[in-house]
Amino acid sequence: MEEVKYKNVEEILKLPVVAYCRVSTNKQEQESSYENQHRFFKERATKTENEVLVKIYADKGISATSLKKREEFKQMLYDAGINEYRGRDEFTYEIDHKRKPKFRKVYVRNTSRFTRDASIITILRALLKNGVHVHFLDIDLIYDDTSKEFMLNMFINFAQQESIDRSKKVKDGNVVMASVGSIRVGGYGIYGYEYSSFTKKLSIIKEEADVVCKIYELYLKGYGIRRILNYLQDNGIKPRSGKERFSISSVRRILTNEKYYGCNVRNKYDSGGVFTKHYPKLKDKEEWIYHEDVIPAIISKGTFLKAQEIGNNKVHKISQKGVYKGTSEFAGLITCKCGATYTRNVDKGRVFYNCSTKKSRGVHACDNINISEDKINEGINKLLETGVKKKFDKYKETMTQLLKDMVRSKILAQIDKDNEAEVKVIQEQIDKLTRRKNRLIELYLDENMDKAFLDEKADSINNELEIMNKKINELSKSNQEIYDELHEFDCMIDEINQIQISEVSNREELLQLIHIKIERHSENSKKPIAKIFFKYDEPIKKLSSKYKILEGISSVILHT
């Protein structure tokens, strides 16, 4: 992602916009496309009077038919104030009311560069709901209203069909290439090797090959994967991606990749079609195509086979043989205080969930408590027995009464109130903060301050300014405006009271309506507490957010 610096004070006052671009391959001939898109958006930004281009998000070598690996695309959504939650069958996207969008419009030069997946409509709706519009320049369509979905879907469907036709040709070509032993690499390549796109061959990178040998050596000595990870981190050994440490899956891939003993295996995985993609699944070994001695070996075949024997004989693997290892029914529904999701684990037959950050990076990164599946199920069953409809109706009644008690009287108290003196004091504070902000920008433009420090200080000032301006708006309202606000409040309360749900009779229906957050018990830190949040209480959260009240209490405790 490329950041674009502000040129002057006036740009700060313009509408912040961003651009998203993508090229579909890493081939050298596509580099020009990548650079052209950057150049296009930069030049376009110089011709807009009321907007300022603050960032360019760019994914290289990633397919538009999948959002899973498009890191810049995901970062753009995060910066737009949208959280992504991964469920069993699909991703969901929700507005994070604690984070405001860093921009108000996204420019995309070509619709197919954005996506060829019709499910993108879900994301566009979330962006629209959070005040962010997407402008598709090739079809001159701004998604600023849901009425434009029909036209956008039509263009997306055209792009989908084109991709399906191309995918079939690629798949047919892969079958031929597999039969002749063509070597395939992707992403960051294969750790320990350098791939030549010219010769289509692998050559050994000695420093990385030594790490591969050490991983196998430790594994054959009885080290588990976590212990190997700790060894690598303690010795300052980092992955090629530049991340701070290897992941569990990356070490596991090294320990199960036949290429390290010189064997190229093709037709090993099935990842579905272009629009029916799923996690790669191992095919039956009878379908694998082996080509030995076509890659320079880093380890011996005997070492590799011993490692496979150790892995296949581990107690946890034997105990889980034949057990479903797919995504659990709670996938994406359980979250941690740190924002990460909780993942399913099995230890000697006991199923429990823990924070994914804690699992991959240790307690120094997140120390939130684990929770057993039995305790979650106990809470779910208790809620079903109590009656989900009854529980929600009670919750709705409590929240609306609190809103009335805390807000209605506050609005009425503003009628006929003289706030001129208070407004004058606040305006002086605003003028002072604005001068501070302008001085910061001048220091940055004079290269006496770096961008990160400017952003940190400017964000703090902007937050204060926003609060003060809102306060002035509140204090400066006429009686008629106050009566209008009171009417609007009463209408929203009526809207909340009209929310009706039918009785939920089974787990599957219930899990579609909730998400769960795990915390430590306030009085006993060794005990977990699970909270349920209703997904269909959006009007309550909207009203609570508007008046900055009830934060953190609009949930129902499931189990302690």
Side-chain angles (χ1 to χ4, degrees):
M1 175 181 65
E2 179 173 338
E3 297 188 0
V4 180
K5 295 181 178 180
Y6 293 114
K7 295 179 180 178
N8 50 53
V9 176
E10 286 71 24
E11 284 198 349
I12 306 296
L13 303 176
K14 294 182 179 182
L15 182 73
V17 303
V18 300
Y20 177 77
C21 59
R22 180 192 63 78
V23 293
S24 58
T25 76
N26 280 322
K27 293 180 180 179
Q28 187 175 357
E29 58 266 27
Q30 289 290 348
E31 289 296 330
S32 59
S33 173
Y34 181 78
E35 295 301 328
N36 285 340
Q37 290 188 62
H38 270 67
R39 192 179 305 111
F40 170 82
F41 286 119
K42 287 180 180 179
E43 291 177 356
R44 189 181 186 282
T46 63
K47 302 174 183 177
T48 55
E49 295 182 359
N50 301 319
E51 298 176 346
V52 56
L53 181 69
V54 293
K55 286 184 182 178
I56 297 176
Y57 299 85
D59 281 309
K60 295 174 67 176
I62 304 295
S63 169
T65 62
S66 172
L67 301 176
K68 294 179 181 178
K69 295 182 180 180
R70 294 166 69 183
E71 297 303 325
E72 287 287 272
F73 189 90
K74 291 182 178 181
Q75 184 63 48
M76 181 179 69
L77 294 183
Y78 182 84
D79 290 344
I82 305 296
N83 286 338
E84 178 185 79
Y85 298 100
R86 180 177 170 184
R88 178 168 182 170
D89 298 316
E90 61 183 10
F91 288 85
T92 58
Y93 300 88
E94 296 182 5
I95 296 172
D96 187 338
H97 296 287
K98 295 180 181 178
R99 294 186 293 107
K100 294 187 178 181
K102 296 182 178 180
F103 48 84
R104 290 298 174 183
K105 186 183 286 187
V106 180
Y107 280 105
V108 183
R109 189 175 182 182
N110 188 292
T111 309
S112 66
R113 297 295 91 185
F114 195 66
T115 183
R116 290 192 292 270
D117 185 350
S119 67
I120 198 66
I121 293 296
T122 304
I123 294 176
L124 291 173
R125 286 175 180 169
L127 289 169
L128 176 62
K129 196 172 183 181
N130 211 25
V132 179
H133 301 159
V134 179
H135 190 168
F136 298 95
L137 296 172
D138 59 328
I139 57 176
D140 195 22
L141 186 149
I142 303 176
Y143 186 83
D144 55 4
D145 190 279
T146 54
S147 63
K148 298 183 179 180
E149 286 180 10
F150 175 79
M151 181 66 70
L152 183 58
N153 264 319
M154 183 174 68
F155 282 102
I156 291 174
N157 287 332
F158 286 151
Q160 277 187 344
Q161 187 57 51
E162 179 187 359
S163 187
I164 290 171
D165 295 340
R166 188 183 298 114
S167 175
K168 186 178 184 303
K169 294 177 182 177
V170 170
K171 197 167 186 178
D172 291 343
N174 284 340
V175 172
V176 176
M177 297 302 286
S179 66
V180 297
S182 172
I183 297 173
R184 294 183 65 182
V185 298
Y188 292 107
I190 303 170
Y191 189 81
Y193 292 101
E194 181 179 6
Y195 178 72
S196 169
S197 58
F198 180 72
T199 63
K200 309 297 182 185
K201 292 184 179 181
L202 294 171
S203 57
I204 292 175
I205 300 173
K206 186 179 184 307
E207 295 79 6
E208 292 184 356
D210 290 343
V211 176
V212 172
C213 290
K214 176 56 70 173
I215 289 173
Y216 273 90
E217 177 189 334
L218 294 174
Y219 194 63
L220 266 57
K221 284 182 178 179
Y223 279 54
I225 290 180
R226 294 181 195 281
R227 197 174 168 193
I228 292 174
L229 286 172
N230 290 335
Y231 173 90
L232 296 174
Q233 188 171 28
D234 291 345
N235 286 273
I237 301 172
K238 297 181 180 181
R240 186 185 297 176
S241 64
K243 293 182 178 179
E244 286 301 311
R245 57 181 281 151
F246 282 82
S247 65
I248 293 173
S249 59
S250 62
V251 172
R252 187 173 286 126
R253 281 196 299 271
I254 288 174
L255 289 169
T256 56
N257 193 335
E258 295 85 356
K259 287 182 174 65
Y260 290 113
Y261 78 86
C263 181
N264 184 32
V265 180
R266 294 296 307 268
N267 206 42
K268 186 176 180 179
Y269 293 99
D270 175 17
S271 56
V274 66
F275 291 108
T276 56
K277 286 186 181 294
H278 49 67
Y279 289 108
K281 298 177 182 177
L282 274 176
K283 295 183 177 181
D284 292 337
K285 285 194 174 184
E286 291 75 18
E287 298 181 58
W288 297 7
I289 302 173
Y290 293 85
H291 298 272
E292 296 201 12
D293 301 322
V294 295
I295 298 171
I298 291 176
I299 59 169
S300 69
K301 184 175 181 179
T303 298
F304 179 82
L305 294 176
K306 285 179 183 177
Q308 306 321 297
E309 185 179 353
I310 291 172
N312 291 330
N313 289 332
K314 282 188 175 291
V315 173
H316 78 276
K317 190 156 187 175
I318 295 173
S319 65
Q320 294 181 66
K321 190 173 183 180
V323 176
Y324 169 71
K325 299 183 181 66
T327 310
S328 80
E329 62 178 342
F330 295 122
L333 296 182
I334 307 176
T335 57
C336 178
K337 63 180 183 180
C338 73
T341 55
Y342 264 56
T343 57
R344 187 176 186 270
N345 303 271
V346 180
D347 182 21
K348 298 179 181 178
R350 173 180 169 270
V351 181
F352 68 96
Y353 289 78
N354 66 353
C355 172
S356 55
T357 299
K358 175 182 175 182
K359 181 177 180 179
S360 62
R361 297 168 56 192
V363 294
H364 66 281
C366 180
D367 64 351
N368 205 6
I369 195 166
N370 300 349
I371 188 167
S372 71
E373 189 172 63
D374 288 342
K375 287 191 175 183
I376 296 175
N377 284 331
E378 186 178 332
I380 293 289
N381 293 336
K382 184 178 179 181
L383 183 59
L384 284 169
E385 290 170 7
T386 305
V388 178
K389 185 180 187 308
K390 178 181 177 182
K391 197 74 172 178
F392 178 70
D393 287 345
K394 181 64 178 176
Y395 159 74
K396 183 176 68 173
E397 179 185 346
T398 303
M399 292 298 108
T400 51
Q401 190 58 51
L402 277 170
L403 284 163
K404 287 179 181 179
D405 294 343
M406 299 175 73
V407 176
R408 211 173 193 282
S409 58
K410 179 181 176 183
I411 298 174
L412 286 170
Q414 294 298 317
I415 295 175
D416 293 328
K417 189 175 179 181
D418 183 4
N419 299 314
E420 185 177 347
E422 190 175 352
V423 168
K424 185 177 180 181
V425 171
I426 296 173
Q427 186 59 56
E428 289 174 353
Q429 293 174 334
I430 288 175
D431 293 341
K432 186 177 179 180
L433 283 171
T434 302
R435 288 194 295 271
R436 280 179 56 196
K437 180 177 175 181
N438 289 339
R439 282 200 299 272
L440 285 171
I441 296 171
E442 289 170 2
L443 287 171
Y444 169 67
L445 294 174
D446 291 338
E447 298 184 351
N448 292 321
M449 179 187 302
D450 63 30
K451 182 66 165 56
F453 186 78
L454 171 67
D455 287 343
E456 180 184 348
K457 294 299 181 184
D459 284 346
S460 176
I461 292 175
N462 286 337
N463 289 336
E464 290 184 63
L465 286 172
E466 184 176 3
I467 292 170
M468 290 181 182
N469 281 315
K470 284 184 177 179
K471 197 164 185 179
I472 282 184
N473 289 336
E474 288 295 319
L475 295 172
S476 303
K477 285 180 179 177
S478 66
N479 280 352
Q480 185 57 53
E481 288 175 319
I482 294 171
Y483 286 127
D484 290 342
E485 182 182 4
L486 190 61
H487 176 69
E488 180 187 355
F489 174 80
D490 289 339
C491 288
M492 292 183 77
I493 292 294
D494 288 341
E495 180 185 346
I496 292 170
N497 287 328
Q498 289 171 16
I499 300 174
Q500 298 293 331
I501 66 167
S502 55
E503 188 53 83
V504 177
S505 59
N506 59 64
R507 291 170 63 90
E508 185 177 354
E509 291 178 7
L510 176 58
L511 294 180
Q512 294 295 319
L513 302 175
I514 64 171
H515 60 91
I516 303 167
K517 186 175 181 180
I518 307 299
E519 300 174 359
R520 290 184 184 273
H521 196 286
S522 58
E523 297 178 0
N524 185 347
S525 61
K526 294 183 179 180
K527 291 182 66 176
I529 183 169
K531 293 183 178 180
I532 179 173
F533 291 80
F534 292 104
K535 289 183 177 179
Y536 44 82
D537 65 348
E538 189 60 36
I540 295 175
K541 290 188 286 188
K542 181 179 179 181
L543 204 52
S544 300
S545 175
K546 179 177 180 179
Y547 292 101
K548 307 297 182 186
I549 60 174
L550 306 180
E551 188 172 344
I553 65 170
S554 57
S555 64
V556 179
I557 296 174
L558 274 182
H559 184 76
T560 302

